[in-house]
Amino acid sequence: MKKGIATVAQLDTFDEFIDARSPAEFEEDHIPGAISCPVLDNEQRAIVGTIYKQQSAFDARRIGAAMVAENIARHLRERFQDKPKDWRPLVYCWRGGQRSGSFVTWLRLIGWDACQLEGGYKNWRRMVVTELETLPQRFDLRVLCGATGSGKTRVLEQLAALGAQVLDLEDLAAHKGSVLGALPDRPQPTQKSFETRLYEKLHGFDPAHPVFVEAESRKIGRIHLPEGLIAHMRASPCVAIEATRDARIEFLVRDYDYLGDDVPDLQNRINFLRGLQSNEIIDRWKDLARQQDLHTLYGEFIDLHYDPLYHRSQNRNFARFPEAPSFACNDLTPAGIRELAERILAAQP
């Protein structure tokens, strides 16, 4: 390998990852643990790109070089003055081109053994996509099933607290999965960022022990699950939670309490169900939302929407659901969920 160049396979040999791309590119996705040190910010990148297209490559390089030099100098002054002589950073840009190359040149001139990532972020992204096709199959998944309101995500959290390996896809996707699932304080990540987080999470698991995961459809909000993962989930052993209707309603009222704080938003989400329910039902649900009668509203959601959908989808999509051990539950308070998680964990072979 050429001196000053490293491959994706050598990531573990570096002390720090430096992302030389623009802040917008970094925000969309980046190598886990990387710090953002753009050699061109969002506006500068747009300016240089426009000059390249409308004038010439030479003019773009001439003007861009001054911007790059100023930004690298600032990063050296503000971010790296305390780094020891044996510090070994890896720098990457989109394709392993001039942005990361310029940065590495200066770092190596100083005396650090800095390297440029061959192929840049593009190679990292290609590796993640390829790995996610087969990586999930290395693990013994246990798919937690249960109708909406059964507290599956909270059970996963308790299983993790009890020492089990847990893949919480809804946490990674920042969405609860249902039509009401958008979170008030967490926007969903980009698809690329979700897949990077998923790849990182899977790599932290021990294949010798089972991994608990919640049954999901192909999409969580606007995030698509990789085909390799969804196929493996649908072929894996299931665990069925059978919670009572009353326990589920009480759980939903607590877990979705924030929906009652924004009636117009709740009514807008209810509108998404038009075509699946009659206009009369949709109008009644919007009126219940206006009255903030969440107990009645969630009870009707369970009876008319969630449960019929659940019974159709589990048997159709999860091949081993009919043989799943069942765990009855009439208490989905935190204490009840912990007791349920303990029973599920104790029953695993």
Side-chain angles (χ1 to χ4, degrees), residues 302-335:
I302 282 174
D303 295 336
L304 300 178
H305 178 66
Y306 288 128
D307 280 9
L309 186 66
Y310 171 72
H311 291 302
R312 289 195 304 270
S313 65
Q314 298 304 296
N315 283 298
R316 183 178 69 241
N317 293 329
F318 292 88
R320 301 180 68 177
F321 179 71
E323 65 190 58
S326 179
F327 294 83
C329 179
N330 61 5
D331 178 10
L332 291 173
T333 63

Side-chain angles (χ1 to χ4, degrees), residues 2-295:
K2 182 180 176 183
K3 191 173 183 180
I5 302 292
T7 67
V8 169
Q10 296 172 302
L11 291 181
D12 291 343
T13 66
F14 291 90
D15 299 319
E16 193 154 27
F17 305 140
I18 299 173
D19 191 318
R21 300 174 303 158
S22 68
E25 292 171 290
F26 181 86
E27 185 176 355
E28 182 183 25
D29 185 39
H30 53 269
I31 295 176
I35 61 172
S36 178
C37 294
V39 299
L40 292 172
D41 63 28
N42 297 335
E43 183 180 358
Q44 290 171 334
R45 183 168 178 249
I47 290 171
V48 172
T50 299
I51 294 172
Y52 183 91
K53 292 178 181 178
Q54 297 182 357
Q55 295 176 222
S56 71
F58 173 78
D59 287 338
R61 287 194 295 268
R62 175 174 54 82
I63 294 172
M67 297 176 179
V68 168
E70 290 174 355
N71 288 326
I72 291 176
R74 186 178 72 257
H75 296 318
L76 290 172
R77 183 173 60 251
E78 297 177 357
R79 306 292 294 272
F80 307 124
Q81 286 297 304
D82 62 339
K83 300 300 181 183
K85 185 177 180 180
D86 61 354
W87 178 58
R88 193 165 185 258
L90 178 71
V91 187
Y92 68 93
C93 58
W94 170 241
R95 284 181 294 199
Q98 294 181 354
R99 288 186 289 177
S100 56
S102 300
F103 212 141
V104 166
T105 295
W106 278 103
L107 293 172
R108 293 187 71 85
L109 282 172
I110 291 169
W112 288 308
D113 184 19
C115 289
Q116 181 182 21
L117 179 61
E118 182 183 42
Y121 167 83
K122 191 175 181 181
N123 265 5
W124 157 264
R125 172 66 183 162
R126 184 182 297 115
M127 183 271 295
V128 168
V129 172
T130 300
E131 280 280 290
L132 287 178
E133 293 176 359
T134 58
L135 182 58
Q137 298 166 20
R138 301 177 194 172
F139 303 102
D140 175 16
L141 299 184
R142 307 292 169 85
V143 183
L144 207 60
C145 301
T148 297
S150 298
K152 298 183 294 296
T153 298
R154 299 292 173 251
V155 172
L156 284 181
E157 292 172 356
Q158 282 301 315
L159 287 168
L162 293 167
Q165 295 187 129
V166 165
L167 178 60
D168 190 341
L169 294 170
E170 293 185 0
D171 181 60
L172 294 178
H175 196 282
K176 292 185 178 181
S178 70
V179 69
L180 303 178
L183 301 179
D185 56 350
R186 284 181 64 194
Q188 287 199 269
T190 65
Q191 182 69 31
K192 291 179 180 179
S193 181
F194 168 80
E195 290 173 4
T196 291
R197 296 177 190 181
L198 175 60
Y199 168 84
E200 184 181 25
K201 187 71 174 178
L202 288 171
H203 262 277
F205 291 142
D206 181 355
H209 300 285
V211 175
F212 290 89
V213 62
E214 182 176 344
E216 301 287 356
S217 62
R218 292 182 178 275
K219 287 183 66 178
I220 303 178
R222 56 179 172 76
I223 295 296
H224 293 262
L225 296 185
E227 184 59 35
L229 174 61
I230 198 72
H232 187 43
M233 288 170 58
R234 290 182 172 184
S236 295
C238 298
V239 175
I241 297 174
E242 296 289 346
T244 63
R245 181 178 182 274
D246 287 345
R248 290 165 58 201
I249 292 174
E250 292 299 324
F251 175 80
L252 287 172
V253 169
R254 291 192 303 273
D255 210 48
Y256 287 84
D257 62 337
Y258 53 85
L259 290 178
D261 298 334
D262 191 340
V263 170
D265 179 62
L266 177 54
Q267 291 177 321
N268 183 58
R269 298 189 196 199
I270 291 171
N271 272 331
F272 294 152
L273 296 172
R274 286 194 187 276
L276 299 175
Q277 302 289 339
S278 69
N279 288 337
E280 179 185 1
I281 290 175
I282 295 298
D283 290 342
R284 180 169 76 248
W285 287 351
K286 291 175 69 175
D287 191 52
L288 288 170
R290 180 185 58 79
Q291 299 173 42
Q292 296 184 301
D293 185 357
L294 299 184
H295 278 82

